[in-house]
Amino acid sequence: MALSDPTAPADAVREAMMEARRETFTVTPTALEKILELRTGEVDAEQLALRIEVTGAQGVDYTYDLAFELLSEADPVDVPFAAGGGLTVLIPDRDVVKLDGASLDLPSNPNQPGLVLRNPNRPDLGPNAQLDLDGSVEDNVREVLTKRINPSIAAHGGFAELVAVEDDTVIVKLGGGCQGCGMANATVTAGIERTLRELIPEIERVVDLTDHASGENPYFT
């Protein structure tokens, strides 16, 4: 059955998509066992899929969010993957290429809790990174923070996290080596604000909500 067949039943199309993409993302048997065990404690367990989303990047790796979600309420752009054992993994269409060849596994250290996503792909970061600025203002700000700003300040062990976008103002919180740093104000005004204003015309200023009097290296003004 062709995936583009407009007459195909929705369930049949979903099954065909799952089969076609089975090899691009995998869940190891041990991880699958753990996920199914966790799912049994949820309401409507049999109806839940595991949604995996790329939320950004830290250092040279992507960051992720994993959560159970009712399959019936999946976003239309989520791509389903058959993980086995009756579990469906949902990945936003925009993230499929970022997770191509990746696998969800248990940590190598048996004393380490949780799951590990082993991904051969790395984010396109740095001054020459290709930016996708066709989304909302908030999405565009997050794109610039992830690909241009955070790679620059990561050399100092820091990162900038988006708190909110209010009209023409971006509100950020600095972490890592940027928290408590005496150069934080210069980093925000001369670096982050300038970059965002150059790339996103809707943005006029950046406000830093970081508590620089706390953290590992508190800075007192």
Side-chain angles (χ1 to χ4, degrees):
M1 178 185 298
L3 296 183
S4 59
D5 182 358
T7 65
D11 288 346
V13 171
R14 181 175 289 275
E15 288 295 327
M17 290 175 65
M18 292 172 69
E19 183 63 31
R21 297 186 181 274
R22 184 186 301 271
E23 299 302 323
T24 63
F25 183 87
T26 58
V27 179
T28 66
T30 52
L32 178 61
E33 181 180 355
K34 183 63 176 179
I35 294 167
L36 293 176
E37 177 186 334
L38 293 172
R39 192 177 69 164
T40 57
E42 301 288 333
V43 178
D44 297 323
E46 297 300 320
Q47 307 302 317
L48 295 177
L50 179 65
R51 190 171 192 271
I52 301 176
E53 178 181 6
V54 176
T55 57
Q58 187 168 353
V60 297
D61 295 309
Y62 288 116
T63 56
Y64 312 96
D65 180 62
L66 283 70
F68 288 122
E69 181 178 291
L70 285 171
L71 188 57
S72 59
E73 298 179 0
D75 192 299
V77 298
D78 283 350
V79 178
F81 291 75
L87 177 70
T88 297
V89 173
L90 297 172
I91 298 177
D93 182 69
R94 67 178 183 276
D95 293 337
V96 169
V97 66
K98 300 174 186 175
L99 294 170
D100 186 29
S103 64
L104 195 59
D105 197 1
L106 292 184
S108 301
N109 182 351
N111 296 319
Q112 180 181 338
L115 299 165
V116 173
L117 209 161
R118 307 187 192 283
N119 190 356
N121 306 292
R122 294 292 179 268
D124 177 23
L125 304 175
N128 298 318
Q130 183 175 355
L131 297 174
D132 178 5
L133 300 179
D134 292 330
S136 65
V137 174
E138 185 172 327
D139 287 340
N140 292 345
V141 169
R142 189 173 287 107
E143 176 85 352
V144 175
L145 286 176
T146 298
K147 291 188 175 182
R148 291 287 174 87
I149 293 171
N150 280 339
S152 297
I153 61 180
H156 305 284
F159 62 89
E161 178 183 7
L162 176 64
V163 176
V165 175
E166 297 180 356
D167 298 324
D168 62 355
T169 300
V170 171
I171 302 172
V172 299
K173 184 176 181 181
L174 304 182
C178 287
Q179 183 179 12
C181 173
M183 292 297 293
N185 186 57
T187 299
V188 172
T189 56
I192 298 176
E193 185 173 89
R194 184 185 69 241
T195 302
L196 289 174
R197 291 182 64 182
E198 287 177 353
L199 295 170
I200 307 174
E202 294 90 343
I203 299 305
E204 287 294 327
R205 69 190 188 111
V206 171
V207 174
D208 176 19
L209 289 187
T210 311
D211 178 8
H212 288 289
S214 65
E216 295 182 2
N217 300 296
Y219 170 67
F220 299 95
T221 57

